[in-house]
Amino acid sequence: MSGQDAIGEAPGPEVIERIARDTIARLPAAFAAHLGDVVLIVEEFADDETLAALGLDHPLDLTGLYHGRPVGQKSSMDSGSLPDRIHLYRRAILDEWVETGVRLDDLVVHVTIHEIGHHFGLSDDDMHALEDAVDDARA
């Protein structure tokens, strides 16, 4: 079940997390090798502090966020810092799903890849290419 099949009930956080973890599992090995310490968190909304830091007024405006330093900027001097985290915001994802009509699994893949792209410091074009690689692996 892709999370697309449930009728009358919004997919829970476990569905969003399963799709995101499946996405990570389908990444090319060169990327997956650098994601072992990244924590995946599915929350209902971004908190007020996060929204304020990003200059956003409404929690439905943020579907995902990467907290951490991109791989190329890491140093051995980073010990003691929090682990890198990818936050996926369930309610904002569901709102976008309803508004756009995009398949839920496709949307979660897109948001997950976008946040992974920030972990690697990728350009938008590189993120799209990585998303295409994951889509090919899903087919």
Side-chain angles (χ1 to χ4, degrees):
M1 180 173 137
S2 69
Q4 196 77 15
D5 305 320
I7 296 177
E9 193 172 311
E14 68 283 351
V15 173
I16 305 294
E17 182 175 349
R18 183 178 39 74
I19 296 168
R21 291 199 184 281
D22 184 57
T23 300
I24 292 167
R26 294 177 190 279
L27 288 170
F31 289 93
H34 296 282
L35 288 170
D37 294 333
V38 176
V39 177
L40 176 67
I41 303 165
V42 179
E43 300 174 288
E44 289 299 294
F45 296 106
D47 61 37
D48 291 338
E49 181 180 336
T50 298
L51 294 171
L54 295 171
L56 298 173
D57 295 323
H58 200 281
L60 294 179
D61 293 337
L62 186 62
T63 55
L65 184 65
Y66 169 72
H67 282 281
R69 291 182 61 190
V71 171
Q73 295 178 11
K74 292 195 180 287
S75 157
S76 61
M77 303 305 286
D78 290 339
S79 68
S81 61
L82 289 172
D84 294 348
R85 300 170 314 281
I86 292 174
H87 293 259
L88 301 179
Y89 300 112
R90 177 182 165 271
R91 295 286 302 274
I93 289 170
L94 295 179
D95 190 63
E96 187 171 326
W97 172 48
V98 169
E99 284 182 10
T100 64
V102 171
R103 287 176 46 99
L104 180 61
D105 53 345
D106 290 341
L107 181 57
V108 174
V109 167
H110 175 77
V111 174
T112 303
I113 294 293
H114 185 86
E115 301 316 325
I116 288 169
H118 289 302
H119 175 67
F120 289 102
L122 299 179
S123 69
D124 284 343
D125 287 342
D126 291 337
M127 288 181 205
H128 290 297
L130 185 56
E131 190 172 347
D132 290 343
V134 168
D135 286 342
D136 291 345
R138 290 172 55 204

